[in-house]
Amino acid sequence: MFCTQCGANNADSAAVCVQCGRNLQPGTPLVPLQTTAVALPPGTTVQNYLVFAILATVFCCLPAGIPAIIYAAQVNGKLQAGDLAGAQVASNNAKMWCLISLGLGLGIVALYAMMIMLGILSGFHQH
Amino acid sequence: MVEISKNRRLVATLAAFAAGVVMLAVFDPARSGVFPPCPVRYFTGWYCPGCGSLRAIHQLLRGNLRAAWALNPLTMILLPFLTYGLASSALFEIRGQGLPQPFLRAFWIRALGAAIILFGIARNLPLYPFDLLAPGTWLHW
């Protein structure tokens, strides 16, 4: 089928356009009905949180950022295969790992601030 | 009610981000001790793919492109895209529509993840030319 937005040729099962990301299935039940498919309004796509996954990896916590990137890839992979429900699950996982990373980051900042303050306080003590 | 708390969260997030950028411009993470060290480096002694990124952005904000590149080339390459993505997310929260973004195929996202990990490994190798990727080495070369 051809994308209504950019005209790119897509596989008939594709959930989103491979070129512009436009949702190609406005509520059509190509996804099996027994799955918990989310009906996306046309023109939207499932969020993959890739930007936040990379930010988490590079600025905060490598161990939490890498799973986020892997799930981000999975979101788009499932979208390519036409599996909207699977993409939504992967999207939730990507979001979860980004939030874990954010929590770890804030925890590290708080811990560091506490250590600095204790250090300054004990420094005052010596003088 | 919901709308107000959502707006507040958005304003708080944007304010925190702006404050972070200003702090990063004012204080040098290499010397000031305002910013925490990289936890990966702190606990393992190895450079992670992001080591040097705060120092790099500090140098970038001060206009020192060479120093910024030497501290973390990966961050410098990714930064324009990350900035665009963040701006898109912010706009999406504000007006309900982000900026146009291409659909990345899963393969390319995995390749990007692999590239980040390989960069992280390479910058720990003590041989030329990989050692140039360690934070700051490029400046003394």
Side-chain angles (χ1 to χ4, degrees), chain A residues 16 18 54 58 73 76 80 108 112, chain B residues 33 35 39 50 103-106 112:
Chain A
V16 297
V18 291
I54 293 171
V58 175
N76 285 18
Q80 282 161 232
I108 288 166
Y112 183 71
Chain B
F35 299 94
F103 179 80
L104 283 175
R105 299 191 73 97
L112 177 65

Side-chain angles (χ1 to χ4, degrees), chain B residues 27-76:
Chain B
F27 299 105
D28 184 358
R31 272 170 296 193
S32 66
V34 171
F35 299 94
C38 167
V40 174
R41 171 107 176 117
Y42 185 83
F43 286 113
T44 66
W46 295 322
Y47 295 120
C48 85
C51 277
S53 52
L54 287 184
R55 283 170 280 167
I57 293 173
H58 169 78
Q59 294 299 338
L60 183 72
L61 290 170
R62 292 293 183 96
N64 305 326
L65 274 175
R66 220 174 93 89
W69 175 262
L71 282 162
N72 195 321
L74 177 75
T75 301
M76 285 306 112

Side-chain angles (χ1 to χ4, degrees), chain A residues 17 25-28 41-42 50 54 56 59-60 63 79-80 82 89 103 109 113 125:
Chain A
C17 174
Q25 302 179 342
T28 45
L50 180 61
I54 293 171
F59 289 99
C60 169
L79 285 176
Q80 282 161 232
V89 171
V109 168
H125 228 66

